[in-house]
Amino acid sequence: MVLSNVSVVITGGTHHAELSKLTGTYKTGTATSGLYTVTFSKTGYTSKVFTGVNLQSGVLTNLDVSLRPVNAVTYAGALVTNVNCNGANGGAIDLSIANGTLPINYIWSNGGTTQDLNTIPAVILQLQCLMGWDAVSHSHLR
């Protein structure tokens, strides 16, 4: 999801704070080449700071920026029940999450879509939690 109206502050020169465009892009006219600190921020999101950004006069510099919602889903732990016999499907994961805004969708690497998993074999699983359409947290569980 592209965020517009993200505050962009470049320090180390004579720049002033501006807002990104509706497309999520921001262009600056850096007259003096050099190393700068660039800060991206938006209310309700954690800020992202890049230090030592080499900005050159007349040269486009791309920064891939993802701002995470302040109330993003965070991994709070899991109670894992290991499979007790090789080849059996007696494993389970009781996942605990914190924060986030409902609805939260779960996408496990084995195709599961519930918060907790039962009757699973001994495998390494990856989980992606989604709030709405934005991917906000990735956790690896064994």
Side-chain angles (χ1 to χ4, degrees), residues 20-82:
S20 65
K21 309 299 183 235
L22 289 175
T23 59
T25 61
Y26 170 81
K27 293 182 181 178
T28 181
T30 300
T32 306
S33 298
L35 298 177
Y36 295 90
T37 298
V38 183
T39 304
F40 296 85
S41 59
K42 183 172 178 76
T43 302
Y45 293 81
T46 56
S47 296
K48 182 81 171 199
V49 178
F50 293 88
T51 57
V53 178
N54 189 3
L55 298 178
Q56 301 293 319
S57 181
V59 177
L60 180 64
T61 301
N62 289 314
L63 297 174
D64 186 17
V65 180
S66 295
L67 299 182
R68 184 177 175 169
V70 172
N71 65 343
V73 174
T74 54
Y75 172 73
L79 176 60
V80 177
T81 303
N82 292 316

Side-chain angles (χ1 to χ4, degrees), residues 4 13 21 37 40 42 44 65 95-96 104 131 133 135:
S4 62
K21 309 299 183 235
T37 298
F40 296 85
K42 183 172 178 76
V65 180
L95 179 68
S96 296
I104 297 171
M131 282 186 342
W133 296 102

